[in-house]
Amino acid sequence: MGGVTGCSVTWSYWDLFGGDRLARLVFFDEPPVLIRQPYWPDGLADRVGALYDLAQIAEVVTGLRAPGADAESLSAEFLDGMWSPAAPEEDRRWVLARNLLLPREYAGRLLLDNVVQDWRDILPRITVPTLVLGGADSVIPTAAARFTASAVPGAALRILEGRASHFAFWENPDAFNREVRAFLDVPADADGPAASA
């Protein structure tokens, strides 16, 4: 199962190893491509959920890696946009503290490596039952989940509602877990093209 970077890790695994040792997949809230390109036809960036242009990413990565930059404040601002307004400050602080355990130099490298990938060619090659989840309140547009589900053969699509931020698994675990459990509880012989919602 993957969320942002988690999906990328899974897509990379599929690219390298196919479905070896994988029975089902759950993707949560990550576009298959994050950087929009200036030569794309109108509307493509919105359809795939590509959030950034190269200049925006360069600014964030520089802010994380440059000597003397206030990388901690930048990280806090970046993460803050991933919560719903109702998220408790204590939860926000805890997640930020865990995030800051990774030196900002490496955080910048990881972010850059993640956002320059384009996984759209992997999606049609996925052959195991797949659930794609998006969050109605997420910084990631629901179009990203819709595009991913449409590109993976037979994928089921669910858009979470109510405190359905990028941290929906934290903010609304009952709804998140209910969708994942319902997907996992489908008997193996019933797996196949799944209905989308």
Side-chain angles (χ1 to χ4, degrees):
M1 184 165 101
V4 168
T5 69
C7 290
S8 292
V9 169
T10 307
W11 293 328
S12 177
Y13 181 95
W14 195 280
D15 194 30
L16 293 168
F17 307 110
D20 186 41
R21 302 184 186 196
L22 298 176
R24 299 185 193 201
L25 295 173
V26 177
F27 297 130
F28 175 63
D29 217 36
E30 180 175 1
V33 57
L34 279 156
I35 295 183
R36 52 186 178 261
Q37 301 297 326
Y39 56 82
W40 281 359
D42 287 346
L44 178 58
D46 292 335
R47 282 197 308 278
V48 301
L51 295 175
Y52 309 108
D53 62 34
L54 286 169
Q56 290 171 308
I57 288 301
E59 184 178 340
V60 173
V61 171
T62 299
L64 290 171
R65 299 179 65 186
D70 188 359
E72 186 171 327
S73 293
L74 177 62
S75 299
E77 182 181 343
F78 197 74
L79 284 172
D80 198 49
M82 298 183 183
W83 295 94
S84 75
E89 184 60 30
E90 180 182 355
D91 291 354
R92 296 171 190 253
R93 284 196 309 268
W94 189 90
V95 169
L96 175 62
R98 303 290 78 74
N99 185 271
L100 292 173
L101 292 174
L102 178 66
R104 298 299 81 187
E105 163 71 17
Y106 299 111
R109 289 185 191 185
L110 180 63
L111 175 65
L112 183 60
D113 182 68
N114 183 48
V115 299
V116 298
Q117 305 300 323
D118 185 341
W119 301 107
R120 287 176 294 166
D121 64 313
I122 304 300
L123 303 180
R125 294 165 31 200
I126 293 173
T127 56
V128 297
T130 300
L131 171 65
V132 181
L133 290 167
D137 306 317
S138 177
V139 65
I140 307 294
T142 56
R146 295 182 190 287
F147 177 86
T148 299
S150 71
V152 175
L157 170 67
R158 300 290 181 266
I159 303 298
L160 301 173
E161 302 281 346
R163 297 190 69 184
S165 69
H166 188 60
F167 286 110
F169 55 88
W170 183 299
E171 294 196 69
N172 194 349
D174 290 342
F176 186 92
N177 292 336
R178 183 170 51 251
E179 294 294 349
V180 173
R181 175 51 58 198
F183 171 68
L184 296 178
D185 281 348
V186 174
D189 59 358
D191 284 336
S196 294

Short mmCIF file of all heavy atoms in Angstrom, two decimals, residues 66-113:
data_model
loop_
_atom_site.label_atom_id
_atom_site.label_comp_id
_atom_site.label_asym_id
_atom_site.label_seq_id
_atom_site.Cartn_x
_atom_site.Cartn_y
_atom_site.Cartn_z
N ALA A 66 19.83 24.22 0.78
CA ALA A 66 20.81 25.32 0.75
C ALA A 66 21.30 25.66 2.16
O ALA A 66 20.50 25.74 3.09
CB ALA A 66 20.20 26.55 0.11
N PRO A 67 22.61 25.85 2.34
CA PRO A 67 23.13 26.28 3.65
C PRO A 67 22.48 27.60 4.06
O PRO A 67 22.31 28.51 3.25
CB PRO A 67 24.63 26.47 3.38
CG PRO A 67 24.92 25.64 2.17
CD PRO A 67 23.66 25.68 1.34
N GLY A 68 22.06 27.67 5.30
CA GLY A 68 21.46 28.89 5.82
C GLY A 68 19.98 29.04 5.57
O GLY A 68 19.35 29.97 6.08
N ALA A 69 19.40 28.15 4.78
CA ALA A 69 17.96 28.23 4.52
C ALA A 69 17.18 27.77 5.74
O ALA A 69 17.66 26.98 6.55
CB ALA A 69 17.59 27.37 3.32
N ASP A 70 15.98 28.30 5.90
CA ASP A 70 15.13 27.91 7.03
C ASP A 70 14.33 26.67 6.63
O ASP A 70 13.12 26.73 6.40
CB ASP A 70 14.22 29.06 7.43
CG ASP A 70 13.45 28.79 8.72
OD1 ASP A 70 13.62 27.69 9.29
OD2 ASP A 70 12.68 29.66 9.14
N ALA A 71 15.04 25.56 6.52
CA ALA A 71 14.44 24.33 6.02
C ALA A 71 13.36 23.80 6.97
O ALA A 71 12.38 23.19 6.52
CB ALA A 71 15.52 23.27 5.81
N GLU A 72 13.51 24.04 8.26
CA GLU A 72 12.51 23.55 9.21
C GLU A 72 11.17 24.25 9.00
O GLU A 72 10.12 23.61 8.97
CB GLU A 72 13.00 23.73 10.64
CG GLU A 72 12.07 23.11 11.66
CD GLU A 72 12.65 23.09 13.06
OE1 GLU A 72 13.88 22.95 13.21
OE2 GLU A 72 11.86 23.23 14.01
N SER A 73 11.20 25.57 8.82
CA SER A 73 9.95 26.30 8.57
C SER A 73 9.32 25.90 7.25
O SER A 73 8.10 25.76 7.14
CB SER A 73 10.20 27.81 8.59
OG SER A 73 10.56 28.23 9.88
N LEU A 74 10.16 25.70 6.24
CA LEU A 74 9.66 25.27 4.93
C LEU A 74 8.99 23.91 5.05
O LEU A 74 7.91 23.69 4.49
CB LEU A 74 10.81 25.22 3.92
CG LEU A 74 10.44 24.71 2.52
CD1 LEU A 74 9.42 25.62 1.86
CD2 LEU A 74 11.69 24.59 1.66
N SER A 75 9.62 23.00 5.79
CA SER A 75 9.04 21.67 5.98
C SER A 75 7.71 21.75 6.71
O SER A 75 6.74 21.06 6.35
CB SER A 75 10.01 20.78 6.76
OG SER A 75 11.22 20.63 6.05
N ALA A 76 7.64 22.60 7.74
CA ALA A 76 6.40 22.76 8.48
C ALA A 76 5.29 23.29 7.59
O ALA A 76 4.15 22.80 7.63
CB ALA A 76 6.62 23.70 9.67
N GLU A 77 5.61 24.27 6.74
CA GLU A 77 4.61 24.83 5.83
C GLU A 77 4.16 23.79 4.80
O GLU A 77 2.98 23.66 4.49
CB GLU A 77 5.21 26.04 5.12
CG GLU A 77 4.25 26.74 4.18
CD GLU A 77 4.90 27.93 3.49
OE1 GLU A 77 5.94 28.42 3.94
OE2 GLU A 77 4.33 28.36 2.46
N PHE A 78 5.11 23.03 4.28
CA PHE A 78 4.82 22.01 3.29
C PHE A 78 3.87 20.96 3.87
O PHE A 78 2.86 20.58 3.26
CB PHE A 78 6.13 21.37 2.84
CG PHE A 78 6.06 20.59 1.56
CD1 PHE A 78 5.96 21.23 0.34
CD2 PHE A 78 6.09 19.21 1.57
CE1 PHE A 78 5.91 20.52 -0.86
CE2 PHE A 78 6.03 18.48 0.39
CZ PHE A 78 5.94 19.14 -0.83
N LEU A 79 4.18 20.49 5.08
CA LEU A 79 3.35 19.47 5.72
C LEU A 79 2.00 20.03 6.16
O LEU A 79 0.99 19.32 6.12
CB LEU A 79 4.07 18.89 6.93
CG LEU A 79 5.19 17.90 6.64
CD1 LEU A 79 5.95 17.56 7.92
CD2 LEU A 79 4.66 16.64 5.99
N ASP A 80 1.97 21.29 6.57
CA ASP A 80 0.74 21.87 7.07
C ASP A 80 -0.37 21.84 6.02
O ASP A 80 -1.54 21.67 6.34
CB ASP A 80 0.98 23.31 7.54
CG ASP A 80 -0.13 23.79 8.45
OD1 ASP A 80 -0.48 23.07 9.41
OD2 ASP A 80 -0.66 24.89 8.20
N GLY A 81 0.01 21.97 4.75
CA GLY A 81 -0.97 21.94 3.68
C GLY A 81 -1.56 20.57 3.44
O GLY A 81 -2.51 20.43 2.66
N MET A 82 -1.02 19.56 4.08
CA MET A 82 -1.50 18.19 3.88
C MET A 82 -2.57 17.77 4.87
O MET A 82 -3.15 16.69 4.73
CB MET A 82 -0.31 17.23 3.94
CG MET A 82 0.71 17.48 2.86
SD MET A 82 2.04 16.28 2.92
CE MET A 82 3.08 16.90 1.60
N TRP A 83 -2.82 18.61 5.89
CA TRP A 83 -3.83 18.31 6.91
C TRP A 83 -5.14 19.03 6.60
O TRP A 83 -5.14 20.03 5.89
CB TRP A 83 -3.36 18.78 8.27
CG TRP A 83 -2.15 18.10 8.82
CD1 TRP A 83 -0.86 18.52 8.70
CD2 TRP A 83 -2.11 16.90 9.58
NE1 TRP A 83 -0.02 17.65 9.35
CE2 TRP A 83 -0.75 16.64 9.90
CE3 TRP A 83 -3.07 16.01 10.03
CZ2 TRP A 83 -0.36 15.53 10.64
CZ3 TRP A 83 -2.68 14.89 10.77
CH2 TRP A 83 -1.33 14.67 11.07
N SER A 84 -6.23 18.57 7.18
CA SER A 84 -7.46 19.34 7.14
C SER A 84 -7.37 20.43 8.21
O SER A 84 -6.58 20.31 9.15
CB SER A 84 -8.68 18.44 7.41
OG SER A 84 -8.76 18.12 8.79
N PRO A 85 -8.16 21.49 8.09
CA PRO A 85 -8.12 22.54 9.11
C PRO A 85 -8.43 22.05 10.52
O PRO A 85 -7.98 22.65 11.50
CB PRO A 85 -9.19 23.53 8.63
CG PRO A 85 -9.31 23.30 7.17
CD PRO A 85 -9.04 21.82 6.97
N ALA A 86 -9.17 20.95 10.63
CA ALA A 86 -9.56 20.44 11.95
C ALA A 86 -8.48 19.60 12.63
O ALA A 86 -8.64 19.19 13.78
CB ALA A 86 -10.84 19.61 11.82
N ALA A 87 -7.38 19.33 11.95
CA ALA A 87 -6.35 18.46 12.52
C ALA A 87 -5.75 19.10 13.77
O ALA A 87 -5.38 20.27 13.76
CB ALA A 87 -5.25 18.21 11.51
N PRO A 88 -5.64 18.34 14.86
CA PRO A 88 -5.08 18.90 16.10
C PRO A 88 -3.62 19.33 15.93
O PRO A 88 -2.85 18.67 15.24
CB PRO A 88 -5.18 17.73 17.09
CG PRO A 88 -6.22 16.82 16.52
CD PRO A 88 -6.11 16.96 15.03
N GLU A 89 -3.28 20.43 16.57
CA GLU A 89 -1.92 20.94 16.49
C GLU A 89 -0.92 19.92 17.03
O GLU A 89 0.20 19.80 16.51
CB GLU A 89 -1.82 22.25 17.29
CG GLU A 89 -0.48 22.94 17.20
CD GLU A 89 -0.09 23.32 15.77
OE1 GLU A 89 -1.00 23.60 14.96
OE2 GLU A 89 1.12 23.34 15.48
N GLU A 90 -1.32 19.17 18.04
CA GLU A 90 -0.42 18.16 18.61
C GLU A 90 -0.04 17.10 17.57
O GLU A 90 1.12 16.68 17.48
CB GLU A 90 -1.10 17.49 19.81
CG GLU A 90 -0.26 16.43 20.48
CD GLU A 90 -0.99 15.76 21.64
OE1 GLU A 90 -2.11 16.20 21.98
OE2 GLU A 90 -0.43 14.80 22.19
N ASP A 91 -1.01 16.70 16.75
CA ASP A 91 -0.73 15.73 15.69
C ASP A 91 0.21 16.32 14.64
O ASP A 91 1.15 15.67 14.19
CB ASP A 91 -2.03 15.28 15.02
CG ASP A 91 -2.90 14.44 15.94
OD1 ASP A 91 -2.45 14.10 17.05
OD2 ASP A 91 -4.03 14.12 15.53
N ARG A 92 -0.06 17.56 14.27
CA ARG A 92 0.80 18.23 13.29
C ARG A 92 2.24 18.30 13.77
O ARG A 92 3.18 18.05 13.01
CB ARG A 92 0.28 19.64 13.00
CG ARG A 92 -1.08 19.70 12.36
CD ARG A 92 -1.58 21.16 12.34
NE ARG A 92 -2.97 21.25 11.96
CZ ARG A 92 -3.40 21.70 10.79
NH1 ARG A 92 -2.53 22.07 9.87
NH2 ARG A 92 -4.68 21.76 10.53
N ARG A 93 2.40 18.68 15.04
CA ARG A 93 3.76 18.80 15.60
C ARG A 93 4.46 17.45 15.65
O ARG A 93 5.66 17.35 15.38
CB ARG A 93 3.70 19.43 17.00
CG ARG A 93 3.46 20.93 17.00
CD ARG A 93 3.80 21.57 18.34
NE ARG A 93 3.16 20.90 19.46
CZ ARG A 93 1.98 21.24 19.97
NH1 ARG A 93 1.30 22.24 19.45
NH2 ARG A 93 1.47 20.58 20.99
N TRP A 94 3.71 16.40 16.00
CA TRP A 94 4.32 15.07 16.10
C TRP A 94 4.83 14.61 14.74
O TRP A 94 5.95 14.12 14.60
CB TRP A 94 3.32 14.06 16.66
CG TRP A 94 3.93 12.74 16.98
CD1 TRP A 94 4.48 12.36 18.17
CD2 TRP A 94 4.08 11.62 16.09
NE1 TRP A 94 4.96 11.07 18.08
CE2 TRP A 94 4.73 10.59 16.82
CE3 TRP A 94 3.72 11.39 14.77
CZ2 TRP A 94 5.03 9.35 16.24
CZ3 TRP A 94 4.03 10.16 14.20
CH2 TRP A 94 4.67 9.16 14.94
N VAL A 95 3.99 14.77 13.69
CA VAL A 95 4.39 14.35 12.35
C VAL A 95 5.57 15.18 11.86
O VAL A 95 6.52 14.65 11.27
CB VAL A 95 3.20 14.43 11.38
CG1 VAL A 95 3.65 14.27 9.93
CG2 VAL A 95 2.16 13.36 11.73
N LEU A 96 5.55 16.49 12.12
CA LEU A 96 6.67 17.33 11.72
C LEU A 96 7.96 16.88 12.41
O LEU A 96 9.01 16.79 11.76
CB LEU A 96 6.39 18.80 12.05
CG LEU A 96 7.54 19.77 11.79
CD1 LEU A 96 7.93 19.78 10.32
CD2 LEU A 96 7.18 21.17 12.28
N ALA A 97 7.89 16.58 13.69
CA ALA A 97 9.09 16.13 14.42
C ALA A 97 9.64 14.84 13.82
O ALA A 97 10.86 14.69 13.68
CB ALA A 97 8.76 15.93 15.90
N ARG A 98 8.76 13.90 13.43
CA ARG A 98 9.23 12.67 12.80
C ARG A 98 9.87 12.99 11.44
O ARG A 98 10.88 12.43 11.07
CB ARG A 98 8.07 11.67 12.58
CG ARG A 98 7.31 11.27 13.82
CD ARG A 98 8.04 10.38 14.82
NE ARG A 98 8.99 11.00 15.69
CZ ARG A 98 8.72 11.77 16.74
NH1 ARG A 98 7.48 12.06 17.06
NH2 ARG A 98 9.68 12.24 17.50
N ASN A 99 9.24 13.89 10.70
CA ASN A 99 9.75 14.27 9.39
C ASN A 99 11.14 14.89 9.49
O ASN A 99 12.02 14.63 8.67
CB ASN A 99 8.77 15.24 8.72
CG ASN A 99 9.17 15.60 7.31
OD1 ASN A 99 9.92 16.55 7.10
ND2 ASN A 99 8.66 14.86 6.35
N LEU A 100 11.35 15.69 10.53
CA LEU A 100 12.62 16.40 10.68
C LEU A 100 13.76 15.49 11.16
O LEU A 100 14.91 15.91 11.19
CB LEU A 100 12.46 17.58 11.64
CG LEU A 100 11.59 18.72 11.12
CD1 LEU A 100 11.36 19.75 12.22
CD2 LEU A 100 12.20 19.36 9.88
N LEU A 101 13.44 14.24 11.50
CA LEU A 101 14.51 13.30 11.84
C LEU A 101 15.41 13.01 10.65
O LEU A 101 16.58 12.66 10.80
CB LEU A 101 13.92 11.99 12.39
CG LEU A 101 13.23 12.09 13.75
CD1 LEU A 101 12.55 10.77 14.10
CD2 LEU A 101 14.20 12.51 14.84
N LEU A 102 14.85 13.12 9.44
CA LEU A 102 15.64 12.97 8.24
C LEU A 102 16.34 14.29 7.95
O LEU A 102 15.67 15.32 7.83
CB LEU A 102 14.74 12.59 7.05
CG LEU A 102 15.43 12.43 5.69
CD1 LEU A 102 16.39 11.24 5.71
CD2 LEU A 102 14.39 12.27 4.59
N PRO A 103 17.67 14.31 7.85
CA PRO A 103 18.35 15.58 7.54
C PRO A 103 17.77 16.21 6.28
O PRO A 103 17.44 15.52 5.32
CB PRO A 103 19.81 15.15 7.35
CG PRO A 103 19.95 13.90 8.18
CD PRO A 103 18.62 13.20 8.05
N ARG A 104 17.62 17.53 6.32
CA ARG A 104 16.96 18.23 5.23
C ARG A 104 17.67 18.05 3.88
O ARG A 104 17.03 18.06 2.83
CB ARG A 104 16.82 19.72 5.55
CG ARG A 104 15.96 20.02 6.77
CD ARG A 104 14.52 19.56 6.67
NE ARG A 104 14.34 18.12 6.95
CZ ARG A 104 13.21 17.45 6.80
NH1 ARG A 104 12.14 18.07 6.34
NH2 ARG A 104 13.12 16.18 7.08
N GLU A 105 18.98 17.90 3.90
CA GLU A 105 19.71 17.61 2.66
C GLU A 105 19.12 16.38 1.97
O GLU A 105 18.87 16.38 0.77
CB GLU A 105 21.19 17.39 2.98
CG GLU A 105 21.99 16.70 1.89
CD GLU A 105 22.25 17.54 0.65
OE1 GLU A 105 22.11 18.77 0.74
OE2 GLU A 105 22.60 16.96 -0.39
N TYR A 106 18.89 15.32 2.76
CA TYR A 106 18.35 14.09 2.20
C TYR A 106 16.86 14.20 1.89
O TYR A 106 16.37 13.58 0.95
CB TYR A 106 18.64 12.92 3.12
CG TYR A 106 20.12 12.71 3.32
CD1 TYR A 106 20.73 12.96 4.53
CD2 TYR A 106 20.92 12.31 2.25
CE1 TYR A 106 22.10 12.80 4.71
CE2 TYR A 106 22.29 12.15 2.41
CZ TYR A 106 22.87 12.39 3.63
OH TYR A 106 24.22 12.25 3.78
N ALA A 107 16.16 15.01 2.67
CA ALA A 107 14.75 15.26 2.36
C ALA A 107 14.61 15.92 1.00
O ALA A 107 13.74 15.57 0.20
CB ALA A 107 14.12 16.12 3.45
N GLY A 108 15.50 16.87 0.73
CA GLY A 108 15.49 17.53 -0.57
C GLY A 108 15.80 16.58 -1.70
O GLY A 108 15.16 16.60 -2.76
N ARG A 109 16.77 15.71 -1.48
CA ARG A 109 17.12 14.71 -2.51
C ARG A 109 15.95 13.76 -2.76
O ARG A 109 15.65 13.42 -3.91
CB ARG A 109 18.33 13.90 -2.07
CG ARG A 109 19.63 14.65 -2.07
CD ARG A 109 20.76 13.70 -1.74
NE ARG A 109 22.01 14.40 -1.48
CZ ARG A 109 23.16 13.77 -1.26
NH1 ARG A 109 23.21 12.46 -1.23
NH2 ARG A 109 24.25 14.48 -1.03
N LEU A 110 15.32 13.30 -1.68
CA LEU A 110 14.20 12.38 -1.81
C LEU A 110 13.03 13.03 -2.54
O LEU A 110 12.43 12.43 -3.44
CB LEU A 110 13.76 11.90 -0.42
CG LEU A 110 12.60 10.91 -0.37
CD1 LEU A 110 12.94 9.61 -1.08
CD2 LEU A 110 12.20 10.65 1.07
N LEU A 111 12.72 14.27 -2.18
CA LEU A 111 11.63 14.98 -2.84
C LEU A 111 11.92 15.13 -4.33
O LEU A 111 11.07 14.85 -5.18
CB LEU A 111 11.43 16.35 -2.20
CG LEU A 111 10.39 17.24 -2.88
CD1 LEU A 111 9.00 16.64 -2.76
CD2 LEU A 111 10.42 18.65 -2.30
N LEU A 112 13.13 15.56 -4.66
CA LEU A 112 13.49 15.76 -6.06
C LEU A 112 13.40 14.46 -6.85
O LEU A 112 12.83 14.42 -7.94
CB LEU A 112 14.90 16.35 -6.16
CG LEU A 112 15.37 16.69 -7.58
CD1 LEU A 112 14.47 17.72 -8.22
CD2 LEU A 112 16.82 17.19 -7.53
N ASP A 113 13.94 13.39 -6.28
CA ASP A 113 13.88 12.10 -6.97
C ASP A 113 12.44 11.66 -7.19
O ASP A 113 12.10 11.13 -8.25
CB ASP A 113 14.63 11.04 -6.16
CG ASP A 113 14.63 9.70 -6.88
OD1 ASP A 113 15.27 9.59 -7.93
OD2 ASP A 113 13.97 8.77 -6.37
#
